Amino acid sequence: MGTGQWMQGVSVIGFALLLCAAGASAQEQPRLHLMPWPASLQTGSGSLRIDSSFSVALTGHTEARLDRAVQRFLRQLARQTAIPLSAAKASAKPTLTVHTDHASKEVQELGEDESYTLSITADGANIEAPTPLGAMHGLQTFLQLVDVAPDGFTAPAISIQDKPRFPWRGLMIDVARHFIPLDVLKRNLDGLEAVKMNVFHWHLSENQGFRVESKKFPRLHTLGSDGLYYTQDEIRDLIAYARDRGIRVVPEFDMPGHSTAWFAGHPELASGPGPYEVERKWGVFDPAMDPTNEKTYKFLDEFVAEMTKLFPDHYFHIGGDEVNGKQWDANQRIQEFKKSHNLATNEALQAYFSERIQKIVTKHGKAVVGWDEVFIPGVPKDIVIQSWRGQESLAKAAALGYHGILSNGYYLDLGWPAARHYAVDPMSGPAAILTPEQQKLILGGESCMWAEYINAENIDSRIWPRNAAIAERFWSPQNVTDIHSMYARLHAVSAQLEWLGLTHRTYYPEMLRRTAGPGASPDELSALRTLADVVEPVKDYTREATAPAEPTSATPLNRVVDAVPLESDVARRFGDLVDAFVSSSCRDADAAARLRAQLSAWRDNDARLQPLMQRSFLVKEIAATSQDLSSLAAVGLAALDLAAKGGAAPEDWKAKQLAVIGQAEKPKSQLLVMPAPAIQRLVEAVAAGGGCAASK
Amino acid sequence: MGTGQWMQGVSVIGFALLLCAAGASAQEQPRLHLMPWPASLQTGSGSLRIDSSFSVALTGHTEARLDRAVQRFLRQLARQTAIPLSAAKASAKPTLTVHTDHASKEVQELGEDESYTLSITADGANIEAPTPLGAMHGLQTFLQLVDVAPDGFTAPAISIQDKPRFPWRGLMIDVARHFIPLDVLKRNLDGLEAVKMNVFHWHLSENQGFRVESKKFPRLHTLGSDGLYYTQDEIRDLIAYARDRGIRVVPEFDMPGHSTAWFAGHPELASGPGPYEVERKWGVFDPAMDPTNEKTYKFLDEFVAEMTKLFPDHYFHIGGDEVNGKQWDANQRIQEFKKSHNLATNEALQAYFSERIQKIVTKHGKAVVGWDEVFIPGVPKDIVIQSWRGQESLAKAAALGYHGILSNGYYLDLGWPAARHYAVDPMSGPAAILTPEQQKLILGGESCMWAEYINAENIDSRIWPRNAAIAERFWSPQNVTDIHSMYARLHAVSAQLEWLGLTHRTYYPEMLRRTAGPGASPDELSALRTLADVVEPVKDYTREATAPAEPTSATPLNRVVDAVPLESDVARRFGDLVDAFVSSSCRDADAAARLRAQLSAWRDNDARLQPLMQRSFLVKEIAATSQDLSSLAAVGLAALDLAAKGGAAPEDWKAKQLAVIGQAEKPKSQLLVMPAPAIQRLVEAVAAGGGCAASK
């Protein structure tokens, strides 16, 4: 990894700049809000002024897509600055010249050259790229560099040489459990372009919905979607939209399980007796396609023929996950088939199905992607395994010569903080000990947005900004791992994503206000916001288990748990402040004062929230959580008092505080009070030594 | 006004409910967020539960527009509650029944019956209306009644009999000075429907732009619009959209002045030698149509023929305002024409033009609307005078038997608080002494959104929520004038308007963040917000005079003055708190504590804002304003200290404080620091008596 080390050096310089920015020479140093961080960069001196004379020229290879990219770039630059910029005009001396060597493939392919260089000086800027893909990445990098300065909008002098670490950098969106309208998908594709992701994995069928118009089998979408599906014209439109942004569209039709919605119109495909209707609940369900019936394969052959014409990408995702086998076990004919074909287990039966469907997909000129379960050693080598199980199964496949992408660790619906996703590397763990040749088989990864608890209103907030950190993991050098730098840049990139029309931040006050009612006073709303800002929905797969009533696709997503962001910035910063205070041996008076102010506000907040709790059932629901925050804050204030006094903690003091914290850490109304761990650290530090000296 | 008095009684009951809501029986009393306030209402007991079983049935007269209105209603109800509501379904017992007697006119006419009744009980709801116009108003009233309650979303039991006070209730939007895209207009039409306004006055041509595609004279839009115009298909689409919402569309083509953009393509229409190009600056300009040239009338005849076909409304607005006459004075031929036709003044010459163009409009089957200047006693009686000059000219016209609508007092661009617009009544002043017969000639009014300093990004905030208060003035009984009730309901209606997609509140943090740059920290943004929340742009017509450089249509609208709302809620509430404190003879300890907390935050804010001011030119611009806020807060704190001490104010104390306040009240960077008057009241009260006893 020689280049890796060289890149490391450069990256460290980059981060040094970021850290410097708060220091003495802050005004000289540019603040670089780049995400993903480039493979290599050198900063220069001075900056390029952005004003209404800004113009762009395209040289070398040209195509209509590049013209559109420049239009989009100018529109975006105009939004960021509010400077009216007219369409690319002929200019004797363009501000930005974009040179593209040659065309990319007619249908975007895995592994095409996406590299580019970008240089900016006070006199102008240049992007050079082998293909339009790199040119478009360079434009996005430029947009991230534009900032407000003491003398106007500027982009700093810089030289960037950039290319991705992995060729497959995707986001999966499940549009089946809750239907997601086309315009919402489009603005998310804009977001993918901004962070240089290049695959949109479209999870199109599920127990809860079949979302694609099929002209061949119209009962699939008419009976399987509640009327919520994409027409083929809309799908072509979205694919063109994605191609314009350097993004491949990989469709997924999940089979043989996760397929109840297919059976609403085509019960003959199922392994159990019908009739079926679209599933309304969440979970793993029994219905599965009948892998022993030749008619199933005839149907799928015709279906795949239609869909592979509609979706031009070389890859076709067949799902394959989570078949529980119950319908197979219950079907005498299937049991006999297993015996007569020497298929000892349901796994073997699914392998048989996978082989058959893979042959069909291959016959139609495509390569298969599937979840871990579809991997059967011996299948043709152009299959790609998408691992929801983890690096181990990915490494195992790679060791046998199979391609894979990682999704385990990147499930956006689990509510992890950005830092946790960021720490997951496709090449770590078992993958790290593969041979270089085998490592090349690991193509990258995909974040996954499963849709039990999202809809058009809150989906953006469930994807962004955290997905930008995952995008950096897939693009940037492996050693770009500094959490503080990541969060600082994520904060800025999140703001910039707003200009694309993403609603990941604007949705939040509106949804909160819904829980409070239109007549809530500013003070009431402020109290609600204070609480909401420091809670997060329960994590991982605990949401069903903790639900007040069994959730279904008809359950309104109007509760506080649906409204709050999945990662509390306020709580994270509070934690940083606690750590700074403890690190100072509890002597940092400024930190102590800030902690005290914050904790006092939290302690008093429960009383402020009372009127709203009495009026609104949606606020009443979080009463216990509100009390928990107040209790936690009281504990934190007691710890600060003790730290200020400096003496030893009274006997049992720590145990009592930890008991309160333990109580507050139990989720209520499916919410976690996020400052709890930091308050626990504070209590432990104070209890450990009078002046906190013993701790950290 | 017998009915008026009856209505007054009912209205007072309504307001009493609102005031009660904070009292002991708050839980029993519904909070009614209605705006405009209905002509008459009686509250009942209990409430109607809103859940996913909600259904609507149409009875009586039906038409596709009513079906669409119900779809829109359900979509809106689903947004407000996040309860999935499917399309109107057959139901044995619909939750809401809407009965319509008969159709309204094919093309909506002035004065059609818009009345409706709405009754809600725990068992269901009924709307009854003579026409679809009333039915649609009833649906909007229902939406405003839906609120969150202790046991779910509900609408209170109520009986409403409602009808408008005036038949002409409009909003004018100038789309010429800054082009406003169609989707932005549409969401504003949604807003008009929500507050029961029924006229969209579309100001389509100006010196700075001609915004309509003309197939007859394509040079008008191709050379007069910088490519920013509406196609005829788009216009038909918007008119249909408006009709669906009970809104008439009155087009305005301003002539003979305000017409430079016409001359870019048709210099032969002008009174002075060309060539012309689209004007970039603001103000009143010399170019005017040549009223002495028969070719002008031939052109206008053909043009009006085309446009009256495109716009179905009976009224056609010909502008007519602000001709400065300079081009006429400078044109020898025009001077000779005046002599030969006995036209002594330019006013007489314009009257000649007005008569000619009014005849043309009449010939094409339409009635003329024009600004004050077009009114010449003796013209046909179906003209409507739109008064920008004031009630006096309106009353004068009415006394002579002419119709009029009031816009003076409703100019949204002047930056007045809602209360000031709300206090303007078309029937007050000179109109109040007209005979009842003459009073009927006053048809209503229009708010006006002139577009020097608005664009697609901030226009919603310049119209809303204040326009809802004006809408109430035009709809509700004349005695509905309570300011506190108005602001309480405006606050709620503003929140509800968000669900229509209006961006009048979401735009603000985004525009502020732009001034700060994407890398601004939460604390920096909070400091910026603290200041921005209490400043307002300079008022009335002072914006050009105070501009740092001559503004043009190319000037970026990216400054703090472009971002802040036109009315500071925080400052208004602060003023209320000061008044409560002073009224208590400065003894209200809770009010004193809250004032002190607020003032301390303001005093310290300038220091917090320093880092951002050093980094961003857009924040640096408001440095003096930031200092003013800190100085004002220090004055306020000194006054509180003095009030707490209770002794007499030191000699010169008051004069010194007033000097600081006077300095802070001078606008800087085109911003006013809005808490200044309240702080002055505080200082005067404290100075007047040791314990503030002497004041108020």
Side-chain angles (χ1 to χ4, degrees), chain A residues 608-654:
Chain A
R608 285 175 73 209
L609 197 55
Q610 288 300 325
L612 213 47
M613 285 197 253
Q614 282 168 32
R615 232 163 47 233
S616 161
F617 73 108
L618 292 170
V619 181
K620 189 168 61 178
E621 195 199 345
I622 59 168
T625 304
S626 175
Q627 285 164 15
D628 282 347
L629 179 63
S630 285
S631 309
L632 278 171
V635 167
L637 286 167
L640 286 182
D641 288 342
L642 204 58
K645 254 196 287 182
E651 204 171 332
D652 282 350
W653 180 84
K654 180 177 167 186

Side-chain angles (χ1 to χ4, degrees), chain A residues 95-168:
Chain A
T95 322
L96 169 64
T97 303
V98 182
H99 181 86
T100 310
D101 278 353
H102 57 79
S104 61
K105 298 292 170 68
E106 196 72 36
V107 172
Q108 189 171 329
E109 288 180 12
L110 177 68
E112 284 196 71
D113 193 328
E114 298 181 73
S115 69
Y116 70 95
T117 64
L118 165 63
S119 71
I120 303 177
T121 70
D123 291 331
N126 278 283
I127 291 171
E128 302 206 4
T131 76
L133 301 175
M136 293 193 292
H137 290 319
L139 289 170
Q140 294 299 318
T141 300
F142 188 99
L143 285 173
Q144 289 188 342
L145 288 167
V146 174
D147 202 354
V148 69
D151 53 345
F153 284 99
T154 62
I158 199 166
S159 173
I160 289 175
Q161 301 79 40
D162 203 7
K163 62 176 181 179
R165 178 175 167 218
F166 291 109
W168 189 305

Side-chain angles (χ1 to χ4, degrees), chain A residues 56 58 65-75 88 139:
Chain A
V56 183
L58 291 167
R65 177 167 63 154
L66 280 168
D67 292 330
R68 289 193 295 272
V70 168
Q71 299 304 316
R72 198 160 64 242
F73 168 84
L74 287 172
R75 206 160 51 233
L139 289 170

Side-chain angles (χ1 to χ4, degrees), chain A residues 296-357:
Chain A
T296 302
Y297 300 110
K298 181 168 180 302
F299 180 100
L300 290 175
D301 186 29
E302 292 177 44
F303 174 76
V304 170
E306 182 183 17
M307 291 301 140
T308 51
K309 280 199 191 71
L310 181 60
F311 293 93
D313 198 79
H314 181 60
Y315 289 90
F316 192 88
H317 202 303
I318 58 166
D321 55 321
E322 298 183 321
V323 183
N324 70 11
K326 288 188 187 168
Q327 273 202 342
W328 293 346
D329 292 342
N331 184 321
Q332 190 56 39
R333 201 173 32 73
I334 292 177
Q335 291 305 312
E336 283 160 15
F337 183 94
K338 280 169 70 178
K339 272 181 217 148
S340 64
H341 285 70
N342 275 329
L343 299 165
T345 63
N346 283 338
E347 287 67 37
L349 181 59
Q350 186 175 347
Y352 170 82
F353 175 84
S354 290
E355 259 190 85
R356 295 286 304 265
I357 184 72

Side-chain angles (χ1 to χ4, degrees), chain B residues 167-408:
Chain B
W168 189 306
R169 307 177 308 279
L171 165 68
M172 187 217 77
I173 298 182
D174 166 13
V175 299
R177 287 180 173 84
H178 278 99
F179 182 71
I180 305 296
L182 212 64
D183 61 323
V184 178
L185 295 180
K186 283 184 173 176
R187 69 187 186 220
N188 278 284
L189 289 177
D190 291 339
L192 294 191
E193 182 188 26
V195 298
K196 302 184 173 61
M197 275 189 163
N198 65 358
V199 176
F200 170 49
H201 168 173
W202 205 351
H203 185 82
L204 285 160
S205 73
E206 260 302 339
N207 298 308
Q208 294 84 1
F210 188 97
R211 304 299 182 193
V212 176
E213 177 192 28
S214 170
K215 293 185 192 292
K216 181 80 194 168
F217 302 110
R219 293 167 65 88
L220 283 173
H221 67 273
T222 55
L223 295 177
S225 75
D226 298 314
L228 297 170
Y229 63 91
Y230 311 101
T231 67
Q232 297 204 354
D233 279 344
E234 287 173 332
I235 288 166
R236 276 184 286 267
D237 176 45
L238 191 94
I239 291 168
Y241 192 92
R243 175 173 169 78
D244 253 15
R245 287 152 182 78
I247 298 167
R248 297 163 43 215
V249 177
V250 176
E252 176 184 356
F253 295 95
D254 206 347
M255 40 191 155
H258 286 280
S259 50
T260 311
W262 303 55
F263 306 153
H266 290 279
E268 74 278 11
L269 296 174
S271 303
Y276 295 89
E277 58 181 39
V278 167
E279 181 59 57
R280 307 287 165 199
K281 297 180 179 174
W282 312 133
V284 175
F285 297 93
D286 301 345
M289 290 179 184
D290 184 346
T292 70
N293 189 340
E294 283 305 311
K295 284 183 186 160
T296 302
Y297 301 108
K298 182 167 181 303
F299 180 98
L300 290 176
D301 186 30
E302 293 178 44
F303 175 76
V304 171
E306 182 183 18
M307 290 302 139
T308 50
K309 280 199 193 71
L310 182 59
F311 292 93
D313 198 79
H314 181 59
Y315 289 90
F316 192 88
H317 203 304
I318 58 167
D321 55 321
E322 298 183 321
V323 182
N324 71 12
K326 288 189 188 169
Q327 272 201 343
W328 293 346
D329 293 341
N331 182 321
Q332 190 55 39
R333 200 173 34 71
I334 291 177
Q335 291 306 311
E336 282 159 16
F337 183 93
K338 280 169 70 179
K339 272 180 219 152
S340 64
H341 285 70
N342 276 327
L343 300 166
T345 62
N346 283 338
E347 286 68 36
L349 182 59
Q350 186 175 348
Y352 170 83
F353 175 85
S354 290
E355 261 191 82
R356 295 287 305 265
I357 183 74
Q358 286 176 35
K359 276 183 190 145
I360 290 171
V361 170
T362 306
K363 172 183 145 194
H364 292 292
K366 304 289 182 174
V368 157
V369 191
W371 300 100
D372 298 276
E373 290 93 326
V374 305
F375 172 56
I376 315 129
V379 297
K381 287 284 164 75
D382 67 346
I383 191 173
V384 171
I385 313 297
Q386 177 164 21
S387 179
W388 65 273
R389 289 181 174 164
Q391 279 113 326
E392 193 139 356
S393 65
L394 211 57
K396 207 168 114 190
L400 293 170
Y402 288 91
H403 286 101
I405 54 177
L406 185 65
S407 280
N408 180 290

Side-chain angles (χ1 to χ4, degrees), chain A residues 27 31 33 52 78-84 144 146-153 455 457 488 491-493 495-496 498-499 502 505-506 509-511 513-522 524-525 553-558 573 613-618 620, chain B residues 27 31 33 52 78-84 144 146-153 455 457 488 491-493 495-496 498-499 502 505-506 509-511 513-522 524-525 553-558 573 613-618 620:
Chain A
Q27 300 207 24
R31 296 150 58 104
H33 312 303
S52 60
R79 279 192 198 135
Q80 285 181 214
T81 62
I83 297 170
Q144 289 188 342
V146 174
D147 202 354
V148 69
D151 53 345
F153 284 99
N455 59 17
E457 190 173 26
H491 172 72
V493 167
Q496 284 196 303
E498 281 190 0
W499 299 118
L502 284 165
R505 304 207 302 196
T506 51
E510 294 194 30
M511 282 187 77
R513 184 182 285 275
R514 178 194 284 134
T515 71
S521 73
E524 289 169 340
L525 285 170
S553 53
T555 302
L557 300 181
N558 59 11
R573 289 195 302 268
M613 285 197 253
Q614 282 168 32
R615 232 163 47 233
S616 161
F617 73 108
L618 292 170
K620 189 168 61 178
Chain B
Q27 298 206 26
R31 296 150 57 104
H33 312 304
S52 60
R79 279 192 199 135
Q80 285 180 213
T81 62
I83 297 169
Q144 289 188 343
V146 175
D147 202 355
V148 70
D151 54 346
F153 284 99
N455 59 17
E457 189 173 28
H491 173 71
V493 167
Q496 284 196 303
E498 280 189 0
W499 299 118
L502 284 165
R505 305 207 302 196
T506 50
E510 293 193 30
M511 281 188 78
R513 185 182 285 275
R514 178 195 284 136
T515 71
S521 73
E524 289 169 340
L525 285 171
S553 53
T555 303
L557 299 181
N558 59 11
R573 289 196 302 270
M613 286 197 253
Q614 282 169 32
R615 230 161 51 229
S616 160
F617 73 109
L618 292 170
K620 188 167 62 177

